[in-house]
Amino acid sequence: MNFIDKFFAWLLSFDKETLIYAASAIGAGLAMIAGIGPGIGQGYAAGKGAEAVGINPKASKQSTMVMLLGAAVAETSGILSLVVAVILLYGNPIVNVTGASIILAAAAIGAGFSMIAGIGPGIGQGYAAGKATEAVGRRPKLYSTVVRTMFLGQAVAQTTGIYALIIALVLMFANPFIR
């Protein structure tokens, strides 16, 4: 018996519920790795906000507003990851599903792993927010046009975060491997 066989035999020595809860805790932790993206993106937007105010103090209200709006949108992938983590920890639908416990445990871990894809949207949306803040600092009269363009770009950037959420929800609520 090789290591992998021994490892799976050891995993399966636990009762199903314990194995799924342990895997769910791991999945929840993995999901929160996605918070790295919004953190980087929001930091970039805040830095560009400070730079814009330094360049054009008269446009500080507009620059600050764009920075805050853009940073808020950049947080969405972190929020989606938090939702998946909370579901895994407190409303875990996987525990009540019948099926092979190893597949159910893998689904919980996979749901968390999928949310790591939220790193990209968080960084991208923060970058868009930072550049929009910079633009408004230089040309405050273009505020509404810049904000509209920023939001459009951020919406497109969020698509991979939404794909990740869909996969996590499928793994938790409609797993095709358990039927």
Side-chain angles (χ1 to χ4, degrees), residues 54-151:
I55 292 169
N56 186 357
K58 291 180 183 178
S60 67
K61 282 187 180 182
Q62 294 99 325
S63 296
T64 301
M65 185 58 70
V66 173
M67 184 270 299
L68 290 173
L69 289 170
V73 173
E75 184 57 41
T76 56
S77 58
I79 293 169
L80 297 178
S81 296
L82 178 62
V83 167
V84 168
V86 169
I87 289 170
L88 285 170
L89 295 174
Y90 294 105
N92 195 329
I94 299 171
V95 174
N96 299 320
V97 174
T98 56
S101 56
I102 197 72
I103 293 173
L104 296 170
I109 293 171
F113 259 126
S114 71
M115 294 312 297
I116 294 173
I119 291 173
I123 293 171
Q125 291 170 324
Y127 187 78
K131 290 309 230 176
T133 302
E134 183 179 31
V136 168
R138 291 181 189 192
R139 300 190 62 193
K141 290 180 181 177
L142 296 177
Y143 174 84
S144 63
T145 304
V146 170
V147 169
R148 187 173 40 252
T149 304
M150 175 191 71
F151 281 152

